[in-house]
């Protein structure tokens, strides 16, 4: 499916003819993009042609569109993001993931894959640490392919592909393929 211009999308599910049956909030709540038969990508995806505002409205909420490496580099706290297309980051010799403290953070890949990430420190996101008060964070429907994280930092406590360290974050329907290595403890995908 593709969206462009001033398009909007309602990602609710469980329609009974009057209301949606889901009581969960957030982009694509309950929507599973579905993996392809080889589990190396998704069977479907939502492509977005970014309007001039570089935002799209989903379920009444505004989401910033990420369509390239610069967009990934600008991840910030308390923001909602959607990935508009597959992104190749292999032109970056040594990716530096963001460390974010949040009260709200949503990243929905819409079935897209980020490929070629290489780093000597950490993966896509270094850490997501919850702030004070009511906090929500989710990462979903995103894949990392051809990942190569090889951290030589002997004091780095958590090394990961998608995220190194997370507090109170829901991660679902996402995958990492490639390698993650570290010289310290807590190394994973």
């Amino acid at each position: 499916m593709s969206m462009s211009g001033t398009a909007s999308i309602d990602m609710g599910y469980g329609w009974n003819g009057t209301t949606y049956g889901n009581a969960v909030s957030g982009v694509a709540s309950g929507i599973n993009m579905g993996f392809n038969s080889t589990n190396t990508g998704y069977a479907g995806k939502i492509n977005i042609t970014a309007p001039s505002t570089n935002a799209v409205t989903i379920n009444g909420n505004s989401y910033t569109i990420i369509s390239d490496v610069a967009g990934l580099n600008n991840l910030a706290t308390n923001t909602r993001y959607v990935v508009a297309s597959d992104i190749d980051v292999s032109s970056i010799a040594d990716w530096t993931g963001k460390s974010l403290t949040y009260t709200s953070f949503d990243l929905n890949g819409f079935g897209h894959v980020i490929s070629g990430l290489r780093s000597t420190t950490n993966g896509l996101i270094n850490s997501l640490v919850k702030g004070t008060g009511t906090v929500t964070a989710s990462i979903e429907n995103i894949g990392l392919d051809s990942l190569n994280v090889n951290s030589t930092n002997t004091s780095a406590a958590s090394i990961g592909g998608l995220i190194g360290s997370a507090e109170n974050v829901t991660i679902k329907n996402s995958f990492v393929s490639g390698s993650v290595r570290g010289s310290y403890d807590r190394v994973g995908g």
Side-chain angles (χ1 to χ4, degrees):
M1 178 167 64
S2 296
M3 297 172 55
S4 63
T6 58
S8 66
I9 187 169
D10 185 354
M11 296 294 285
Y13 66 97
W15 181 254
N16 66 10
T18 307
T19 60
Y20 288 105
N22 64 322
V24 220
S25 64
V27 65
S29 295
I31 304 297
N32 185 331
M33 299 307 290
F35 293 106
N36 67 19
S37 60
T38 60
N39 292 325
T40 58
Y42 294 90
K45 59 179 79 176
I46 299 172
N47 297 309
I48 302 171
T49 302
S52 59
T53 59
N54 200 39
V56 64
T57 300
I58 303 169
N59 296 340
N61 296 309
S62 180
Y63 285 76
T64 300
I65 297 169
I66 297 173
S67 56
D68 54 22
V69 174
L72 286 173
N73 273 321
N74 289 326
L75 286 176
T77 56
N78 306 325
T79 307
R80 296 179 179 100
Y81 295 98
V82 293
V83 179
S85 60
D86 292 341
I87 301 174
D88 181 354
V89 296
S90 62
S91 62
I92 307 285
D94 191 4
W95 181 267
T96 302
K98 296 280 186 167
S99 293
L100 306 171
T101 300
Y102 71 91
T103 54
S104 176
F105 179 85
D106 290 310
L107 173 62
N108 193 315
F110 273 3
H112 293 290
V113 176
I114 297 168
S115 61
L117 190 144
R118 297 172 301 191
S119 177
T120 58
T121 55
N122 220 323
L124 183 63
I125 299 171
N126 185 39
S127 65
L128 272 175
V129 179
K130 66 181 182 172
T132 58
T134 304
V135 295
T136 59
S138 67
I139 299 172
E140 56 190 314
N141 300 317
I142 192 165
L144 293 177
D145 189 35
S146 303
L147 176 82
N148 185 0
V149 175
N150 189 6
S151 178
T152 55
N153 184 346
T154 58
S155 63
S158 300
I159 308 298
L162 181 58
I163 186 166
S165 173
E167 291 181 21
N168 205 32
V169 178
T170 300
I171 300 173
K172 62 183 179 181
N173 199 38
S174 299
F175 73 90
V176 174
S177 69
S179 66
V180 179
R181 294 180 202 94
S183 302
Y184 203 62
D185 61 355
R186 293 180 277 188
V187 177

